[in-house]
Amino acid sequence: MADSGAAVLVEETLQVFRDNFPGCEPTVGVAAPGRLQLSNFNNYLLILQALPMVTVVVGCQSSDGIISLLTTAKEADEPKRLEFPVPTESNPLSPGLPCWANYVKGVIQHYRAGPLPGFKAVMASNVPLGGGLSSSASLEVAMYTFLQQICPDNGDLVEKALACQKAEHTFASMPCGIMDQFISVMGKKDHALLIDCRSLEVTPVPLTDPGLVVLITNSNVRHTLTGSEYPTRRKQCMEAAKALKKETLRDVSMADLTAAESHLDAEVYRRARHVISEIKRTTDAAKALTSRDYREFGKLMVQSHNSLRDDYEVSCPELDELVAAAMDGEGVYGSRMTGGGFGGCTVTLVDAAAVENTIQRIKDNYSGTATFYITKPSRGAHVLKL
């Protein structure tokens, strides 16, 4: 693998497999990336890139009809090793404990080919957990890619992403959109992807300038939520669309919304204003990236963060600090929160020559302790040469 960190992860995972499954040699290895949002919201239009940080799965088939799984994740709940029979129509898998296994079991249950053989597999990841970089989709897509090697399906990438999304819905009880699985499956080296979540159309957007760096800053905070924040926001957006007699806010113009302001609850109006303005920002951002107008793209990033902070209210003081510190210096085009918010990471577009100064400035001005990742757009799920 090109990324040295990922290469080390593969070697470590191979050694864990050999230590825990003596007498077996891994014959299959795969990797699937986490993802980074450059622009989006509400699962309409998104600009995403695949990260060099990945989840790795290595393993081999077995003849005993048993699936043996082992995770190396320190954060995973116990037990970290699990065995169960290959699912059948009369004996399907169901979610349960440990929680980490539900993401994997869901993929196995919803895999689109079969019958599956038994297998032994070890999973490891260097995608930061809880940072809004989609470690869960990375795990799901990696497991699906592993299953493709031992029991091939028809290779349809869209159906692969949808099966992984279904796994997260039904086994992990997370009503996620499709974006995370899509980018982990379809990521393209040196490109961001513009994804239309209504038509499922994917358009590559070149991001090849060697003088440009995408900097991820992990706030290392996660605020405890009640669990109602996102369902409430979805409900508010649906309420606004219904009031405007449209199926979704994607079909509403800003002029339509402004004209209806007096008929909407103030908070509902702000939620809708964020979504409608973000849709336009996303299309404008894709054009700016394609034409290498990084200043325009950066301006749209900051506008996006401000809208997420003020209208959608999913930011937090730590993310706001990180964005302000990043922007207070030379060579930085733009910065915004990424992921679900309420903690996690920011993404900053910066000149390569200004990266070190930017990192130091953020360290000096951030009230917490941040972790930094310098990234380039990477490829999606792929098979490893062991």
Side-chain angles (χ1 to χ4, degrees), residues 200-218:
L200 300 184
E201 181 182 1
V202 179
T203 305
V205 181
L207 195 53
T208 57
D209 191 327
L212 194 68
V213 165
V214 178
L215 174 67
I216 299 172
T217 306
N218 192 342

Side-chain angles (χ1 to χ4, degrees), residues 93-174:
L93 297 179
S94 58
L97 297 176
C99 294
W100 66 264
N102 288 330
Y103 298 92
V104 181
K105 289 162 69 177
V107 172
I108 295 169
Q109 182 61 44
H110 296 305
Y111 186 63
R112 298 171 43 260
L116 285 169
F119 63 87
K120 306 177 191 299
V122 174
M123 292 152 287
S125 184
N126 58 12
V127 182
L129 296 180
L133 304 179
S134 199
S135 56
S136 59
S138 174
L139 173 59
E140 293 153 4
V141 172
M143 177 51 62
Y144 195 104
T145 307
F146 178 87
L147 297 180
Q148 287 179 301
Q149 310 316 304
I150 62 174
C151 181
D153 67 352
N154 66 0
D156 186 287
L157 297 182
V158 172
E159 291 180 1
K160 176 179 179 176
L162 290 170
C164 291
Q165 180 197 33
K166 185 177 181 180
E168 188 152 345
H169 286 183
T170 58
F171 274 68
S173 299
M174 294 295 291

Side-chain angles (χ1 to χ4, degrees), residues 18-343:
R18 293 171 181 133
D19 291 344
N20 285 273
F21 298 106
C24 299
E25 184 63 20
T27 57
V28 176
V30 301
R35 65 96 183 95
L36 180 65
Q37 296 170 233
L38 298 176
S39 177
N40 87 283
F41 223 79
N42 250 50
N43 281 350
Y44 293 135
L45 287 171
L46 316 107
I47 300 177
L48 305 154
Q49 72 170 55
L51 293 171
M53 290 89 90
V54 296
T55 296
V56 167
V57 179
V58 301
C60 66
Q61 290 190 46
S62 62
S63 58
D64 56 7
I66 299 296
I67 294 173
S68 299
L69 303 173
L70 173 65
T71 178
T72 68
K74 294 179 182 179
E75 301 86 352
D77 53 330
E78 297 287 348
K80 290 186 169 58
R81 183 166 175 172
L82 193 65
E83 290 190 348
F84 49 87
V86 172
T88 62
E89 187 173 344
S90 61
N91 186 31
L93 297 179
S94 58
L97 297 176
C99 294
W100 66 264
N102 288 330
Y103 298 92
V104 181
K105 289 162 69 177
V107 172
I108 295 169
Q109 182 61 44
H110 296 305
Y111 186 63
R112 298 171 43 260
L116 285 169
F119 63 87
K120 306 177 191 299
V122 174
M123 292 152 287
S125 184
N126 58 12
V127 182
L129 296 180
L133 304 179
S134 199
S135 56
S136 59
S138 174
L139 173 59
E140 293 153 4
V141 172
M143 177 51 62
Y144 195 104
T145 307
F146 178 87
L147 297 180
Q148 287 179 301
Q149 310 316 304
I150 62 174
C151 181
D153 67 352
N154 66 0
D156 186 287
L157 297 182
V158 172
E159 291 180 1
K160 176 179 179 176
L162 290 170
C164 291
Q165 180 197 33
K166 185 177 181 180
E168 188 152 345
H169 286 183
T170 58
F171 274 68
S173 299
M174 294 295 291
C176 63
I178 191 59
M179 67 175 183
D180 297 347
Q181 292 81 9
F182 247 56
I183 191 66
S184 190
V185 169
M186 301 183 187
K188 185 176 181 182
K189 187 176 184 293
D190 294 329
H191 289 74
L193 298 183
L194 175 66
I195 300 176
D196 185 325
C197 292
R198 180 156 62 181
S199 67
L200 300 184
E201 181 182 1
V202 179
T203 305
V205 181
L207 195 53
T208 57
D209 191 327
L212 194 68
V213 165
V214 178
L215 174 67
I216 299 172
T217 306
N218 192 342
S219 69
N220 288 312
V221 298
R222 291 184 70 185
H223 291 286
T224 302
L225 307 178
T226 65
S228 65
E229 284 81 2
Y230 287 104
T232 297
R233 282 160 178 75
R234 283 194 296 270
K235 183 179 178 181
Q236 290 169 328
C237 291
M238 291 172 62
E239 180 183 334
K242 183 178 180 180
L244 290 158
K245 297 181 172 54
K246 300 292 185 179
E247 185 174 346
T248 73
L249 288 177
R250 183 149 176 199
D251 301 314
V252 178
S253 70
M254 191 61 72
D256 293 335
L257 179 66
T258 301
E261 181 176 3
S262 61
H263 304 294
L264 295 173
D265 172 83
E267 190 170 78
V268 169
Y269 176 80
R270 291 198 305 274
R271 303 295 189 251
R273 182 169 62 186
H274 165 70
V275 172
I276 295 167
S277 63
E278 187 74 353
I279 291 169
K280 184 176 189 307
R281 278 191 292 270
T282 300
T283 56
D284 291 345
K287 294 175 183 176
L289 265 190
T290 300
S291 62
R292 297 195 174 194
D293 188 349
Y294 304 133
R295 294 193 182 281
E296 177 64 17
F297 186 87
K299 182 178 75 173
L300 292 165
M301 290 177 73
V302 174
Q303 289 175 1
S304 177
H305 179 81
N306 293 343
S307 182
L308 287 162
R309 179 194 65 204
D310 300 333
D311 280 353
Y312 218 67
E313 296 184 279
V314 293
S315 187
C316 63
E318 293 88 351
L319 294 176
D320 297 340
E321 280 184 28
L322 293 175
V323 169
M327 294 305 300
D328 189 26
E330 298 296 322
V332 175
Y333 295 106
S335 187
R336 71 187 290 272
M337 58 162 276
T338 187
F342 303 107

